[in-house]
Amino acid sequence: MAYQLISVLRDTEDPRLVVVSLKRPDVKNAINRAMVAELTRAFDDLRDGGDAGCVILTGEGPDFAAGADIAELRERRALESLAAINSALFARIEGFAAPVIAAIRGYALGGGCELTLACDMRIASETAQFGQPEVNLGIIPAAGGTQRLPRIVGLGRAKELVLTGAIIDAQEALRIGLVNRVVPDSELMGASRKMALTILKKGPLAVRMAKAALNQSARMSLDSGLAFESTAQALLFESDDKMKRMTDFLQKKKK
Ligand code: COA
């Protein structure tokens, strides 16, 4: 079934790179239930296909996403809230086997900001603006904002953003470690693609194991995390890819 509110495109040079774009530019890509359903389907299809080595998640038009759709939120009551519609999607993206890079221009607010937090890396255009303004609306960021944000920028900075609802620009986001880098707007997709293609040159199993182990660092005790890391490494030592890469390295040295 075709998508209405997102697009999913394979890179022409390397089809293992997939660009997923949010497409509701008339409402600044506000994330509604229908868009969440399409994104969920897209990531499930990519997971089932198994060949996506890196995903770039971005917004069509001048913005990434100005939050969850406030028209829907206004009607939402506790029972529907507990269905955790957005959080379930964001957890899927965080747990997606291959890396996901958020390429952000314009507004990334509320659920839009939380969506970027579920990605592995964030590359911002100079136009990007970030914030968790939910308290303005009498709610809290509840699709990971109170949990992932402090893990990325630290508790004090997360508290300032969440409790004041402040909107910060790309340079401030870089300063506090919310984004990995800031680039001119015209270079946003180029820089994101460059990072993705760099990752795609690496050992595919190693990249997936590294992401899984890094994700566990926020969940497990140090001892359990180290045991996970060590088990992941043991599996990699048995892989054909590791044998080939190390053999290639040693043979090149001999020439
Ligand atoms: N949900 C639904 N619609 C949204 C939206 C959201 N989160 N964010 C923007 N829109 C809609 C606006 O209602 C407007 O629709 P209209 O043209 O039918 O009136 C359209 O997108 C353009 O937004 P507008 O507010 O006119 O643009 P602006 O440049 O004046 O302001 C923002 C931009 C981002 C500052 C402002 O739209 C805003 O504050 N959005 C909500 C941010 C937010 O609180 N997000 C957290 C939600 S949990």
Side-chain angles (χ1 to χ4, degrees):
M1 220 165 70
Y3 298 110
Q4 309 296 320
L5 304 175
I6 64 169
S7 65
V8 180
L9 295 172
R10 297 273 179 170
D11 189 74
T12 44
E13 198 179 299
D14 189 337
R16 295 173 304 160
L17 169 54
V18 184
V19 179
V20 176
S21 305
L22 312 184
K23 269 177 56 179
R24 286 184 86 205
D26 47 325
V27 284
K28 300 191 173 295
N29 294 329
I31 302 165
N32 63 2
R33 288 193 70 149
M35 185 191 276
V36 170
E38 290 196 4
L39 284 168
T40 303
R41 183 154 58 86
F43 275 92
D44 283 358
D45 285 352
L46 291 173
R47 178 199 60 204
D48 295 348
D51 64 328
C54 196
V55 176
I56 295 174
L57 186 59
T58 192
E60 193 172 285
D63 297 294
F64 184 79
D69 190 305
I70 297 171
E72 282 187 0
L73 292 184
R74 196 177 68 113
E75 305 310 315
R76 187 164 295 170
R77 309 299 295 214
L79 209 55
E80 197 187 353
S81 173
L82 286 172
I85 297 155
N86 290 8
S87 339
L89 167 67
F90 298 173
R92 244 182 182 82
I93 292 172
E94 186 175 55
F96 188 71
V100 182
I101 300 168
I104 307 141
R105 56 166 50 96
Y107 289 114
L109 302 179
C113 187
E114 288 174 302
L115 177 53
T116 74
L117 300 175
C119 298
D120 300 299
M121 275 85 61
R122 283 156 291 283
I123 300 185
S125 139
E126 284 166 344
T127 68
Q129 298 196 61
F130 297 86
Q132 297 290 168
E134 283 88 346
V135 286
N136 292 329
L137 300 168
I139 56 170
I140 61 170
T146 69
Q147 303 303 309
R148 291 193 184 99
L149 186 60
R151 285 175 163 88
I152 293 168
V153 302
L155 188 55
R157 285 167 175 153
K159 281 186 172 168
E160 183 175 345
L161 284 171
V162 172
L163 300 179
T164 67
I167 294 178
I168 59 170
D169 65 17
Q171 287 304 333
E172 178 65 0
L174 182 65
R175 194 186 69 79
I176 68 172
L178 178 53
V179 300
N180 296 74
R181 65 190 61 160
V182 178
V183 297
D185 191 61
S186 60
E187 292 169 25
L188 180 65
M189 291 315 287
S192 306
R193 191 169 172 272
K194 191 169 165 215
M195 184 186 273
L197 293 176
T198 299
I199 292 170
L200 285 167
K201 289 198 191 89
K202 311 302 175 192
L205 263 184
V207 165
R208 285 161 177 75
M209 288 294 194
K211 172 170 172 171
L214 286 159
N215 277 357
Q216 292 307 331
S217 72
R219 292 190 163 80
M220 288 180 167
S221 67
L222 182 59
D223 281 351
S224 305
L226 290 171
F228 184 99
E229 180 187 79
S230 165
T231 307
Q233 183 76 311
L235 287 171
L236 290 169
F237 269 95
E238 294 296 322
S239 74
D240 295 342
D241 186 55
K242 163 246 167 181
M243 192 58 79
K244 181 178 179 314
R245 283 170 182 267
M246 292 195 183
T247 306
D248 284 353
F249 179 84
L250 294 171
Q251 282 178 351
K252 262 184 241 145
K253 274 203 169 155
K254 277 187 202 137
K255 279 176 197 164

